[in-house]
Amino acid sequence: MAERLSNRLKDRRGELGWTQAELAERVGVSRKTVNTVENGVFVPSTVLALKLAAVLERPVEELFWVEA
Amino acid sequence: MGLDDDVTHRLLVTNRLHQGTSMNSYLLGLLAGLAVGVTIAVIIKWRDRRRPMTTVERADQLSQRRARMLPALAVVFLTQQAMFFSQMPGAEHAPVERVKMSAWLVLSLVLLAALATKSFWLEPRAVRDLMEDENTQANRNEAMRWGFLFAMGTAVAVYVLGMFEPVTGREAVHIIMTFGIATALLRWGVLERRAHAHG
């Protein structure tokens, strides 16, 4: 069975009251990338996952996890 | 000069005159197309300048525009091939055919450059860098992979076709490049549109 990377980026972004564009600006990526990562369409690199975790002030394993 | 020579000479002169008229019409069409393209680009640029945008907003806008443009470019590129295959046998050295071939070659090179580089060469570096983030790179790599596989598949098909029907080197290159580039453009367009669609 295929494994899938899930995340709670949208929830955390909502807690901070940021839009996708604001998060994208802080991380230094396009809004499209934030959008596709949030929706599970695109699996981010380790570098991007760590950047997102740093900006959202949460450990990376709290934001991302693997679902079997 | 016999009657046959005289007729042949007259036919040659008529043919040259006809080629000259065709080339003039084609060049006129080409220039008109370029003028329309430049006008549209100027209008878009002028309209964009009226709305101040952040780097992310600008990159997003251009990225969406690119997603819409890619399939349209692929269709334009494919329809242009009808001109190549509609040319009369033996007319490939006529001036008008040389202009057509040059136009096709220039368009192919521009599209290849757009596929292989960050494109939007007139935009600021920050915007271009943002448009080239890892999601775009992943989509582009996937599109290039499809383009390569389709080009190779087409090459095999042309090779097999060559066993039954004579295929010139120019025709083979033309067909392989067309399918490779058009496939990459279409695939990239589909992936980019899909990425923007999950808003």
Side-chain angles (χ1 to χ4, degrees):
Chain A
M1 192 173 169
E3 292 176 331
R4 188 173 173 274
L5 185 74
S6 296
N7 69 80
R8 57 169 61 93
L9 287 183
K10 199 171 183 175
D11 296 341
R12 179 61 186 148
R13 183 170 59 76
E15 284 169 22
L16 295 168
W18 295 347
T19 62
Q20 283 185 342
E22 282 171 323
L23 177 58
E25 194 135 29
R26 285 165 202 263
V27 180
V29 293
S30 67
R31 193 195 61 81
K32 181 186 69 177
T33 293
V34 170
N35 182 33
T36 48
V37 173
E38 274 188 2
N39 289 293
V41 176
F42 176 62
V43 177
S45 68
T46 315
V47 175
L48 179 55
L50 288 169
K51 277 186 183 175
L52 284 164
V55 167
L56 293 170
E57 295 170 344
R58 283 287 182 273
V60 73
E61 61 272 23
E62 193 181 306
L63 291 173
F64 295 96
W65 67 95
V66 176
E67 263 180 23
Chain B
M1 189 183 277
L3 185 63
D4 284 352
D5 289 343
D6 188 41
V7 170
T8 310
H9 178 70
R10 279 164 191 265
L11 280 172
L12 274 173
V13 170
T14 312
N15 188 35
R16 278 187 197 143
L17 284 171
H18 176 69
Q19 280 177 6
T21 317
S22 302
M23 193 164 108
N24 286 340
S25 312
Y26 188 76
L27 278 176
L28 207 65
L30 203 66
L31 286 173
L34 279 174
V36 170
V38 169
T39 310
I40 290 170
V42 168
I43 290 170
I44 289 171
K45 196 90 185 160
W46 175 77
R47 205 183 59 180
D48 289 349
R49 286 227 171 127
R50 291 169 61 203
R51 285 178 292 168
M53 276 186 266
T54 65
T55 309
V56 169
E57 285 171 340
R58 179 69 179 152
D60 197 43
Q61 185 196 40
L62 290 177
S63 180
Q64 287 192 37
R65 191 176 290 166
R66 178 170 60 190
R68 286 194 301 268
M69 267 167 49
L70 286 167
L73 279 174
V75 170
V76 168
F77 187 57
L78 280 173
T79 48
Q80 206 206 7
Q81 309 317 308
M83 285 199 309
F84 175 75
F85 291 105
S86 66
Q87 104 183 355
M88 295 296 286
E92 56 271 6
H93 297 298
V96 67
E97 297 305 332
R98 288 192 185 141
V99 175
K100 281 184 192 175
M101 289 306 296
S102 306
W104 171 79
L105 195 60
V106 169
L107 182 60
S108 302
L109 291 174
V110 168
L111 292 178
L112 264 179
L115 275 169
T117 68
K118 293 176 186 176
S119 60
F120 288 96
W121 300 288
L122 299 177
E123 291 297 323
R125 193 180 179 85
V127 174
R128 294 178 69 219
D129 286 347
L130 212 51
M131 287 177 70
E132 188 62 16
D133 61 359
E134 61 180 68
N135 180 246
T136 308
Q137 282 178 20
N139 288 346
R140 186 211 303 280
N141 291 344
E142 171 75 358
M144 293 295 243
R145 195 174 70 88
W146 272 55
F148 175 77
L149 287 174
F150 263 76
M152 291 302 104
T154 310
V156 171
V158 169
Y159 187 80
V160 173
L161 180 71
M163 294 176 184
F164 306 100
E165 190 89 13
V167 182
T168 66
R170 178 176 275 184
E171 284 171 343
V173 169
H174 203 108
I175 296 168
I176 293 166
M177 275 183 75
T178 300
F179 275 91
I181 294 173
T183 305
L185 286 172
L186 278 173
R187 183 65 185 154
W188 196 17
V190 166
L191 291 171
E192 288 287 299
R193 286 173 81 99
R194 196 179 291 166
H196 281 290
H198 290 84

